[in-house]
Amino acid sequence: MTETPNLIYIKELAAGSDTFEQKLISILKREFPEEQKEFLANYNSKAFTKAAENVHKLKHKIGMLGLETGYQTTIDFEEGLKENNDELYPKFMLILESIELFLKTL
């Protein structure tokens, strides 16, 4: 994966407010692991419709972290899961792993 998570969009949203920026980062750090865990539980139990809902929630965080290609992959994966097609799972997992590592550095 050549794309890496970044804070460019979050900094734009914060418009110079360090407090707001830190609040957004705090929300990401709290919610991402929970949503990732819920996705994996649903995916592993083959509950693809529920997993698609989890992917939908994660999609917004992926976009916030500047992953444009990853965002499109996530859209495609979400749609695939709705049709019981999980072929993009390996690519999606690489996106989640990169975010997980990135959030640990913040």
Side-chain angles (χ1 to χ4, degrees), residues 6 27 37-38 43 46 58-59 62 64-65 74 90:
N6 61 70
I27 291 168
K37 183 179 177 182
E38 188 176 341
Y43 179 83
K46 303 289 186 216
L58 287 162
K59 173 176 63 180
I62 291 165
M64 284 183 72
L65 291 170
T74 302

Side-chain angles (χ1 to χ4, degrees), residues 33-98:
E34 295 169 3
E35 291 174 6
Q36 181 181 24
K37 183 179 177 182
E38 188 176 341
F39 160 73
L40 288 170
N42 285 324
Y43 179 83
N44 290 330
S45 66
K46 303 289 186 216
F48 288 166
T49 301
K50 288 182 181 181
E53 292 170 10
N54 303 131
V55 170
H56 182 80
K57 287 181 184 178
L58 287 162
K59 173 176 63 180
H60 300 294
K61 289 170 178 60
I62 291 165
M64 284 183 72
L65 291 170
L67 299 172
E68 293 177 21
T69 303
Y71 186 80
Q72 186 59 54
T73 299
T74 302
I75 290 170
D76 296 341
F77 183 52
E78 177 186 355
E79 292 305 311
L81 285 174
K82 291 176 184 176
E83 298 172 8
N84 290 323
N85 177 345
D86 67 343
E87 71 183 59
L88 289 175
Y89 176 79
K91 286 185 179 182
F92 184 69
M93 288 307 297
L94 288 175
I95 295 165
L96 295 186
E97 289 170 16
S98 72

Side-chain angles (χ1 to χ4, degrees), residues 21-31:
E21 183 179 327
Q22 291 307 311
K23 185 176 252 185
L24 288 174
I25 291 169
S26 175
I27 291 168
L28 284 171
K29 288 175 85 169
R30 182 182 70 245
E31 291 182 357

